[in-house]
Amino acid sequence: MPTKTSLTYSHASANTTALTPSTPFNGTTTASPGFLGQLLNKIPLPRWAVYTIFALVLLVLAVCILCICVKCCCKGKKKRKKKPDQQINLKGLNGSTTTALVQPDIDDVEYGSADKPRGRLLYSLEYSGQNSEEAKIVCDWLSPCFPSQLTVGVKEAAGLKAMDLGGTSDPYVKVYTLPNRAKTYETKVFRKTLYPVFNEFFKFQVTLSELSDMTLVMQVFDFNRFTKHDIIGEVRLQLGAIDWNHVIEEWKDLSEASKFEQENLGEICFSLRYVPTASKLTVVILEAKNLKKMDHGGLSDPYVKVQLILDKRKWKKRRTSVKKKTLNPYFNESFNFEVSFDQIQRVQVVISVWDHDKVSRNDAIGKIYLGCEAGGNQLRHWADMLSNPRRPVAQWHSLLSAEQVDSTLALKHTLKIPFTNKTF
């Protein structure tokens, strides 16, 4: 009996011993978790949601780092390519005029092959004056002769060379005489055509003796508002070899322009804005380029005068600051003038570029004037301003000689008497 009891106890002990290996297995699953595990246990979200959020955060950080790297690389490239003269800040202007539209640094680009025909020009010539041999002898002996009139008609052009990327041009014709280039006329601009019909006539006061040594120049240009106008071709006529007994009308092929007599004074870009309700005219002088060298060092100290002419008399004027030792000054200076709607139809704006000298007198580099009495590109710029009120209109203009502009304006000078309005 006792022996049975001993066997039963031993069996129980064996069963107990057999279950002891399971104790370490349960211990590994219930061991205290680490810091990351404790942090995850505190988040009241499923583990898959936590992992998804963590992956999205890493993705956003990676995208941000990639964008920063790309931006830095692009900024470095722009700094290497950007030129100081091309930085135009038009932040002060409200309107559609933008920096991209006023970039000037585009050279004379002509699309197409160099041997491509430039087109043809139909013109007419008529001289009304004494054209007999006896009158010529009298004119040679008497000076001055009675003024006679040369009428130049610019009729039309055909087959012009395409200067724009779209395969067209914006042609207009410039007419002047040599060697005395006192007046320069311009026709209207025709948009996107190679076959413009001008039908415009220009008159020159010329004596018969002057006519024999005169050269008539008719140049066809492609108009560009924000870059230099490209010349398509020209026609040159020696007027002394023409028979003036009848009216001349003929076609001529355009030839390559010869620039030996043309003095490049430079170009200037400015913006015009008129608000009729406020009677406010705003002139913004933006910049100039390729100005004539006025100093011995091959540079200039340019500044710009803005002058208003009303009824052939000087009215108001302002001026910019002086830019030292440069031929490509950047101003971006704005001037406001009070001009009524009645006056805006009679006023003329004269933009002149001057070279500043501390010791001697300041020299005029070139001038340009705009108004209802102007012509060519100047009249077009003025008309665009009037047809777009409250909106700034910017455009580049080639400077003309001061003598040419002054003779065209023919200002009235008032004699100032001293001691007027004084009490003694």
PDB file of all heavy atoms in Angstrom, residues 281-311:
ATOM      1  N   LEU A 281      -0.626 112.751 -65.877  1.00  0.00           N
ATOM      2  CA  LEU A 281       0.275 112.132 -66.849  1.00  0.00           C
ATOM      3  C   LEU A 281       1.513 111.630 -66.121  1.00  0.00           C
ATOM      4  O   LEU A 281       2.185 112.407 -65.450  1.00  0.00           O
ATOM      5  CB  LEU A 281       0.667 113.133 -67.938  1.00  0.00           C
ATOM      6  CG  LEU A 281       1.728 112.658 -68.941  1.00  0.00           C
ATOM      7  CD1 LEU A 281       1.219 111.484 -69.771  1.00  0.00           C
ATOM      8  CD2 LEU A 281       2.167 113.806 -69.844  1.00  0.00           C
ATOM      9  N   THR A 282       1.809 110.332 -66.247  1.00  0.00           N
ATOM     10  CA  THR A 282       2.957 109.725 -65.579  1.00  0.00           C
ATOM     11  C   THR A 282       3.961 109.270 -66.625  1.00  0.00           C
ATOM     12  O   THR A 282       3.618 108.513 -67.536  1.00  0.00           O
ATOM     13  CB  THR A 282       2.531 108.527 -64.716  1.00  0.00           C
ATOM     14  OG1 THR A 282       1.558 108.956 -63.762  1.00  0.00           O
ATOM     15  CG2 THR A 282       3.731 107.936 -63.985  1.00  0.00           C
ATOM     16  N   VAL A 283       5.188 109.740 -66.486  1.00  0.00           N
ATOM     17  CA  VAL A 283       6.290 109.341 -67.362  1.00  0.00           C
ATOM     18  C   VAL A 283       7.304 108.594 -66.511  1.00  0.00           C
ATOM     19  O   VAL A 283       7.843 109.154 -65.548  1.00  0.00           O
ATOM     20  CB  VAL A 283       6.941 110.558 -68.046  1.00  0.00           C
ATOM     21  CG1 VAL A 283       8.062 110.100 -68.975  1.00  0.00           C
ATOM     22  CG2 VAL A 283       5.907 111.365 -68.812  1.00  0.00           C
ATOM     23  N   VAL A 284       7.569 107.343 -66.858  1.00  0.00           N
ATOM     24  CA  VAL A 284       8.542 106.524 -66.137  1.00  0.00           C
ATOM     25  C   VAL A 284       9.740 106.292 -67.057  1.00  0.00           C
ATOM     26  O   VAL A 284       9.624 105.613 -68.080  1.00  0.00           O
ATOM     27  CB  VAL A 284       7.941 105.181 -65.685  1.00  0.00           C
ATOM     28  CG1 VAL A 284       8.976 104.375 -64.902  1.00  0.00           C
ATOM     29  CG2 VAL A 284       6.699 105.396 -64.844  1.00  0.00           C
ATOM     30  N   ILE A 285      10.868 106.874 -66.703  1.00  0.00           N
ATOM     31  CA  ILE A 285      12.108 106.653 -67.451  1.00  0.00           C
ATOM     32  C   ILE A 285      12.704 105.343 -66.961  1.00  0.00           C
ATOM     33  O   ILE A 285      13.175 105.255 -65.823  1.00  0.00           O
ATOM     34  CB  ILE A 285      13.092 107.822 -67.266  1.00  0.00           C
ATOM     35  CG1 ILE A 285      12.422 109.141 -67.653  1.00  0.00           C
ATOM     36  CG2 ILE A 285      14.339 107.583 -68.095  1.00  0.00           C
ATOM     37  CD1 ILE A 285      11.972 109.219 -69.084  1.00  0.00           C
ATOM     38  N   LEU A 286      12.719 104.330 -67.818  1.00  0.00           N
ATOM     39  CA  LEU A 286      13.180 103.007 -67.408  1.00  0.00           C
ATOM     40  C   LEU A 286      14.690 102.866 -67.574  1.00  0.00           C
ATOM     41  O   LEU A 286      15.419 102.739 -66.604  1.00  0.00           O
ATOM     42  CB  LEU A 286      12.440 101.928 -68.207  1.00  0.00           C
ATOM     43  CG  LEU A 286      10.934 101.877 -67.929  1.00  0.00           C
ATOM     44  CD1 LEU A 286      10.244 100.928 -68.891  1.00  0.00           C
ATOM     45  CD2 LEU A 286      10.676 101.456 -66.500  1.00  0.00           C
ATOM     46  N   GLU A 287      15.176 102.917 -68.805  1.00  0.00           N
ATOM     47  CA  GLU A 287      16.615 102.764 -69.031  1.00  0.00           C
ATOM     48  C   GLU A 287      16.980 103.210 -70.433  1.00  0.00           C
ATOM     49  O   GLU A 287      16.110 103.492 -71.270  1.00  0.00           O
ATOM     50  CB  GLU A 287      17.036 101.302 -68.820  1.00  0.00           C
ATOM     51  CG  GLU A 287      16.358 100.336 -69.762  1.00  0.00           C
ATOM     52  CD  GLU A 287      16.834  98.915 -69.558  1.00  0.00           C
ATOM     53  OE1 GLU A 287      18.052  98.722 -69.398  1.00  0.00           O
ATOM     54  OE2 GLU A 287      15.989  98.016 -69.560  1.00  0.00           O
ATOM     55  N   ALA A 288      18.264 103.271 -70.696  1.00  0.00           N
ATOM     56  CA  ALA A 288      18.795 103.593 -72.021  1.00  0.00           C
ATOM     57  C   ALA A 288      19.929 102.632 -72.331  1.00  0.00           C
ATOM     58  O   ALA A 288      20.496 102.005 -71.429  1.00  0.00           O
ATOM     59  CB  ALA A 288      19.275 105.044 -72.079  1.00  0.00           C
ATOM     60  N   LYS A 289      20.270 102.523 -73.615  1.00  0.00           N
ATOM     61  CA  LYS A 289      21.355 101.617 -73.993  1.00  0.00           C
ATOM     62  C   LYS A 289      22.076 102.143 -75.232  1.00  0.00           C
ATOM     63  O   LYS A 289      21.524 102.906 -76.028  1.00  0.00           O
ATOM     64  CB  LYS A 289      20.829 100.208 -74.255  1.00  0.00           C
ATOM     65  CG  LYS A 289      19.930 100.087 -75.472  1.00  0.00           C
ATOM     66  CD  LYS A 289      19.571  98.637 -75.747  1.00  0.00           C
ATOM     67  CE  LYS A 289      18.740  98.493 -77.011  1.00  0.00           C
ATOM     68  NZ  LYS A 289      18.453  97.092 -77.344  1.00  0.00           N
ATOM     69  N   ASN A 290      23.329 101.741 -75.340  1.00  0.00           N
ATOM     70  CA  ASN A 290      24.174 102.068 -76.492  1.00  0.00           C
ATOM     71  C   ASN A 290      24.243 103.572 -76.752  1.00  0.00           C
ATOM     72  O   ASN A 290      24.183 104.029 -77.902  1.00  0.00           O
ATOM     73  CB  ASN A 290      23.684 101.344 -77.750  1.00  0.00           C
ATOM     74  CG  ASN A 290      23.658  99.843 -77.591  1.00  0.00           C
ATOM     75  OD1 ASN A 290      24.485  99.272 -76.891  1.00  0.00           O
ATOM     76  ND2 ASN A 290      22.707  99.193 -78.226  1.00  0.00           N
ATOM     77  N   LEU A 291      24.369 104.349 -75.666  1.00  0.00           N
ATOM     78  CA  LEU A 291      24.449 105.793 -75.820  1.00  0.00           C
ATOM     79  C   LEU A 291      25.772 106.197 -76.467  1.00  0.00           C
ATOM     80  O   LEU A 291      26.770 105.474 -76.401  1.00  0.00           O
ATOM     81  CB  LEU A 291      24.306 106.472 -74.457  1.00  0.00           C
ATOM     82  CG  LEU A 291      22.960 106.298 -73.746  1.00  0.00           C
ATOM     83  CD1 LEU A 291      22.984 107.000 -72.397  1.00  0.00           C
ATOM     84  CD2 LEU A 291      21.818 106.828 -74.598  1.00  0.00           C
ATOM     85  N   LYS A 292      25.759 107.374 -77.064  1.00  0.00           N
ATOM     86  CA  LYS A 292      26.966 107.899 -77.703  1.00  0.00           C
ATOM     87  C   LYS A 292      28.014 108.229 -76.639  1.00  0.00           C
ATOM     88  O   LYS A 292      27.695 108.765 -75.570  1.00  0.00           O
ATOM     89  CB  LYS A 292      26.615 109.159 -78.496  1.00  0.00           C
ATOM     90  CG  LYS A 292      27.788 109.774 -79.225  1.00  0.00           C
ATOM     91  CD  LYS A 292      27.362 111.025 -79.956  1.00  0.00           C
ATOM     92  CE  LYS A 292      28.564 111.688 -80.635  1.00  0.00           C
ATOM     93  NZ  LYS A 292      28.171 112.941 -81.342  1.00  0.00           N
ATOM     94  N   LYS A 293      29.270 107.919 -76.944  1.00  0.00           N
ATOM     95  CA  LYS A 293      30.362 108.206 -76.020  1.00  0.00           C
ATOM     96  C   LYS A 293      30.662 109.703 -76.056  1.00  0.00           C
ATOM     97  O   LYS A 293      30.967 110.258 -77.098  1.00  0.00           O
ATOM     98  CB  LYS A 293      31.604 107.413 -76.412  1.00  0.00           C
ATOM     99  CG  LYS A 293      31.379 105.903 -76.436  1.00  0.00           C
ATOM    100  CD  LYS A 293      32.595 105.171 -76.968  1.00  0.00           C
ATOM    101  CE  LYS A 293      32.326 103.671 -77.067  1.00  0.00           C
ATOM    102  NZ  LYS A 293      33.497 102.932 -77.628  1.00  0.00           N
ATOM    103  N   MET A 294      30.588 110.328 -74.892  1.00  0.00           N
ATOM    104  CA  MET A 294      30.773 111.771 -74.812  1.00  0.00           C
ATOM    105  C   MET A 294      32.045 112.166 -74.065  1.00  0.00           C
ATOM    106  O   MET A 294      32.521 113.292 -74.222  1.00  0.00           O
ATOM    107  CB  MET A 294      29.572 112.413 -74.113  1.00  0.00           C
ATOM    108  CG  MET A 294      28.232 112.094 -74.768  1.00  0.00           C
ATOM    109  SD  MET A 294      28.052 112.758 -76.431  1.00  0.00           S
ATOM    110  CE  MET A 294      27.928 114.508 -76.075  1.00  0.00           C
ATOM    111  N   ASP A 295      32.599 111.289 -73.246  1.00  0.00           N
ATOM    112  CA  ASP A 295      33.797 111.603 -72.467  1.00  0.00           C
ATOM    113  C   ASP A 295      35.031 111.005 -73.125  1.00  0.00           C
ATOM    114  O   ASP A 295      34.948 110.101 -73.967  1.00  0.00           O
ATOM    115  CB  ASP A 295      33.655 111.064 -71.033  1.00  0.00           C
ATOM    116  CG  ASP A 295      32.482 111.710 -70.302  1.00  0.00           C
ATOM    117  OD1 ASP A 295      32.090 112.825 -70.697  1.00  0.00           O
ATOM    118  OD2 ASP A 295      31.968 111.100 -69.357  1.00  0.00           O
ATOM    119  N   HIS A 296      36.191 111.472 -72.688  1.00  0.00           N
ATOM    120  CA  HIS A 296      37.442 110.989 -73.273  1.00  0.00           C
ATOM    121  C   HIS A 296      37.700 109.525 -72.923  1.00  0.00           C
ATOM    122  O   HIS A 296      38.360 108.819 -73.665  1.00  0.00           O
ATOM    123  CB  HIS A 296      38.618 111.854 -72.779  1.00  0.00           C
ATOM    124  CG  HIS A 296      38.558 113.269 -73.266  1.00  0.00           C
ATOM    125  ND1 HIS A 296      38.703 113.615 -74.596  1.00  0.00           N
ATOM    126  CD2 HIS A 296      38.341 114.441 -72.596  1.00  0.00           C
ATOM    127  CE1 HIS A 296      38.608 114.921 -74.731  1.00  0.00           C
ATOM    128  NE2 HIS A 296      38.381 115.455 -73.522  1.00  0.00           N
ATOM    129  N   GLY A 297      37.181 109.062 -71.828  1.00  0.00           N
ATOM    130  CA  GLY A 297      37.395 107.678 -71.438  1.00  0.00           C
ATOM    131  C   GLY A 297      36.509 106.687 -72.171  1.00  0.00           C
ATOM    132  O   GLY A 297      36.513 105.497 -71.851  1.00  0.00           O
ATOM    133  N   GLY A 298      35.714 107.148 -73.132  1.00  0.00           N
ATOM    134  CA  GLY A 298      34.844 106.252 -73.878  1.00  0.00           C
ATOM    135  C   GLY A 298      33.521 105.977 -73.197  1.00  0.00           C
ATOM    136  O   GLY A 298      32.808 105.055 -73.596  1.00  0.00           O
ATOM    137  N   LEU A 299      33.176 106.765 -72.170  1.00  0.00           N
ATOM    138  CA  LEU A 299      31.919 106.578 -71.460  1.00  0.00           C
ATOM    139  C   LEU A 299      31.175 107.914 -71.383  1.00  0.00           C
ATOM    140  O   LEU A 299      31.577 108.897 -71.988  1.00  0.00           O
ATOM    141  CB  LEU A 299      32.168 106.012 -70.054  1.00  0.00           C
ATOM    142  CG  LEU A 299      32.793 104.617 -69.987  1.00  0.00           C
ATOM    143  CD1 LEU A 299      33.127 104.262 -68.549  1.00  0.00           C
ATOM    144  CD2 LEU A 299      31.867 103.574 -70.601  1.00  0.00           C
ATOM    145  N   SER A 300      30.085 107.929 -70.635  1.00  0.00           N
ATOM    146  CA  SER A 300      29.314 109.147 -70.413  1.00  0.00           C
ATOM    147  C   SER A 300      28.764 109.129 -68.990  1.00  0.00           C
ATOM    148  O   SER A 300      28.795 108.098 -68.309  1.00  0.00           O
ATOM    149  CB  SER A 300      28.163 109.261 -71.421  1.00  0.00           C
ATOM    150  OG  SER A 300      28.652 109.374 -72.744  1.00  0.00           O
ATOM    151  N   ASP A 301      28.278 110.281 -68.554  1.00  0.00           N
ATOM    152  CA  ASP A 301      27.584 110.409 -67.263  1.00  0.00           C
ATOM    153  C   ASP A 301      26.157 110.856 -67.561  1.00  0.00           C
ATOM    154  O   ASP A 301      25.793 112.021 -67.375  1.00  0.00           O
ATOM    155  CB  ASP A 301      28.291 111.424 -66.363  1.00  0.00           C
ATOM    156  CG  ASP A 301      29.736 111.027 -66.070  1.00  0.00           C
ATOM    157  OD1 ASP A 301      29.992 109.818 -65.912  1.00  0.00           O
ATOM    158  OD2 ASP A 301      30.603 111.920 -66.012  1.00  0.00           O
ATOM    159  N   PRO A 302      25.301 109.944 -68.032  1.00  0.00           N
ATOM    160  CA  PRO A 302      24.000 110.362 -68.568  1.00  0.00           C
ATOM    161  C   PRO A 302      22.950 110.631 -67.495  1.00  0.00           C
ATOM    162  O   PRO A 302      22.952 110.042 -66.414  1.00  0.00           O
ATOM    163  CB  PRO A 302      23.589 109.168 -69.431  1.00  0.00           C
ATOM    164  CG  PRO A 302      24.264 108.003 -68.788  1.00  0.00           C
ATOM    165  CD  PRO A 302      25.549 108.518 -68.199  1.00  0.00           C
ATOM    166  N   TYR A 303      22.050 111.521 -67.834  1.00  0.00           N
ATOM    167  CA  TYR A 303      20.813 111.733 -67.100  1.00  0.00           C
ATOM    168  C   TYR A 303      19.751 112.130 -68.121  1.00  0.00           C
ATOM    169  O   TYR A 303      20.068 112.462 -69.277  1.00  0.00           O
ATOM    170  CB  TYR A 303      20.964 112.788 -66.002  1.00  0.00           C
ATOM    171  CG  TYR A 303      21.197 114.197 -66.495  1.00  0.00           C
ATOM    172  CD1 TYR A 303      20.146 115.096 -66.670  1.00  0.00           C
ATOM    173  CD2 TYR A 303      22.492 114.649 -66.774  1.00  0.00           C
ATOM    174  CE1 TYR A 303      20.363 116.387 -67.112  1.00  0.00           C
ATOM    175  CE2 TYR A 303      22.711 115.941 -67.210  1.00  0.00           C
ATOM    176  CZ  TYR A 303      21.656 116.806 -67.383  1.00  0.00           C
ATOM    177  OH  TYR A 303      21.876 118.075 -67.825  1.00  0.00           O
ATOM    178  N   VAL A 304      18.489 112.101 -67.717  1.00  0.00           N
ATOM    179  CA  VAL A 304      17.376 112.322 -68.646  1.00  0.00           C
ATOM    180  C   VAL A 304      16.535 113.492 -68.170  1.00  0.00           C
ATOM    181  O   VAL A 304      16.218 113.601 -66.982  1.00  0.00           O
ATOM    182  CB  VAL A 304      16.495 111.056 -68.770  1.00  0.00           C
ATOM    183  CG1 VAL A 304      15.332 111.300 -69.737  1.00  0.00           C
ATOM    184  CG2 VAL A 304      17.327 109.870 -69.246  1.00  0.00           C
ATOM    185  N   LYS A 305      16.185 114.362 -69.111  1.00  0.00           N
ATOM    186  CA  LYS A 305      15.254 115.458 -68.852  1.00  0.00           C
ATOM    187  C   LYS A 305      13.891 115.108 -69.458  1.00  0.00           C
ATOM    188  O   LYS A 305      13.812 114.614 -70.582  1.00  0.00           O
ATOM    189  CB  LYS A 305      15.751 116.761 -69.490  1.00  0.00           C
ATOM    190  CG  LYS A 305      16.837 117.479 -68.728  1.00  0.00           C
ATOM    191  CD  LYS A 305      17.143 118.804 -69.420  1.00  0.00           C
ATOM    192  CE  LYS A 305      18.266 119.553 -68.726  1.00  0.00           C
ATOM    193  NZ  LYS A 305      18.560 120.837 -69.417  1.00  0.00           N
ATOM    194  N   VAL A 306      12.848 115.364 -68.710  1.00  0.00           N
ATOM    195  CA  VAL A 306      11.476 115.219 -69.197  1.00  0.00           C
ATOM    196  C   VAL A 306      10.860 116.608 -69.212  1.00  0.00           C
ATOM    197  O   VAL A 306      10.711 117.235 -68.166  1.00  0.00           O
ATOM    198  CB  VAL A 306      10.658 114.265 -68.312  1.00  0.00           C
ATOM    199  CG1 VAL A 306       9.249 114.115 -68.865  1.00  0.00           C
ATOM    200  CG2 VAL A 306      11.342 112.908 -68.209  1.00  0.00           C
ATOM    201  N   GLN A 307      10.527 117.076 -70.416  1.00  0.00           N
ATOM    202  CA  GLN A 307      10.023 118.442 -70.559  1.00  0.00           C
ATOM    203  C   GLN A 307       8.678 118.427 -71.278  1.00  0.00           C
ATOM    204  O   GLN A 307       8.509 117.718 -72.279  1.00  0.00           O
ATOM    205  CB  GLN A 307      11.019 119.301 -71.337  1.00  0.00           C
ATOM    206  CG  GLN A 307      10.716 120.785 -71.309  1.00  0.00           C
ATOM    207  CD  GLN A 307      11.855 121.585 -71.907  1.00  0.00           C
ATOM    208  OE1 GLN A 307      12.460 121.184 -72.890  1.00  0.00           O
ATOM    209  NE2 GLN A 307      12.154 122.731 -71.314  1.00  0.00           N
ATOM    210  N   LEU A 308       7.728 119.209 -70.792  1.00  0.00           N
ATOM    211  CA  LEU A 308       6.423 119.349 -71.414  1.00  0.00           C
ATOM    212  C   LEU A 308       6.352 120.675 -72.161  1.00  0.00           C
ATOM    213  O   LEU A 308       6.701 121.733 -71.610  1.00  0.00           O
ATOM    214  CB  LEU A 308       5.312 119.275 -70.370  1.00  0.00           C
ATOM    215  CG  LEU A 308       4.706 117.888 -70.108  1.00  0.00           C
ATOM    216  CD1 LEU A 308       5.762 116.894 -69.690  1.00  0.00           C
ATOM    217  CD2 LEU A 308       3.598 117.967 -69.057  1.00  0.00           C
ATOM    218  N   ILE A 309       5.931 120.595 -73.436  1.00  0.00           N
ATOM    219  CA  ILE A 309       5.776 121.767 -74.289  1.00  0.00           C
ATOM    220  C   ILE A 309       4.291 121.965 -74.550  1.00  0.00           C
ATOM    221  O   ILE A 309       3.615 121.038 -75.018  1.00  0.00           O
ATOM    222  CB  ILE A 309       6.531 121.593 -75.620  1.00  0.00           C
ATOM    223  CG1 ILE A 309       7.994 121.198 -75.360  1.00  0.00           C
ATOM    224  CG2 ILE A 309       6.433 122.854 -76.455  1.00  0.00           C
ATOM    225  CD1 ILE A 309       8.796 122.235 -74.626  1.00  0.00           C
ATOM    226  N   LEU A 310       3.784 123.155 -74.256  1.00  0.00           N
ATOM    227  CA  LEU A 310       2.377 123.466 -74.471  1.00  0.00           C
ATOM    228  C   LEU A 310       2.271 124.716 -75.337  1.00  0.00           C
ATOM    229  O   LEU A 310       2.813 125.765 -74.984  1.00  0.00           O
ATOM    230  CB  LEU A 310       1.655 123.676 -73.137  1.00  0.00           C
ATOM    231  CG  LEU A 310       0.144 123.898 -73.212  1.00  0.00           C
ATOM    232  CD1 LEU A 310      -0.548 122.672 -73.788  1.00  0.00           C
ATOM    233  CD2 LEU A 310      -0.419 124.227 -71.836  1.00  0.00           C
ATOM    234  N   ASP A 311       1.603 124.572 -76.474  1.00  0.00           N
ATOM    235  CA  ASP A 311       1.420 125.687 -77.409  1.00  0.00           C
ATOM    236  C   ASP A 311       2.767 126.288 -77.814  1.00  0.00           C
ATOM    237  O   ASP A 311       2.960 127.516 -77.785  1.00  0.00           O
ATOM    238  CB  ASP A 311       0.513 126.762 -76.800  1.00  0.00           C
ATOM    239  CG  ASP A 311      -0.883 126.232 -76.517  1.00  0.00           C
ATOM    240  OD1 ASP A 311      -1.324 125.306 -77.233  1.00  0.00           O
ATOM    241  OD2 ASP A 311      -1.520 126.729 -75.567  1.00  0.00           O
TER     242      ASP A 311
END
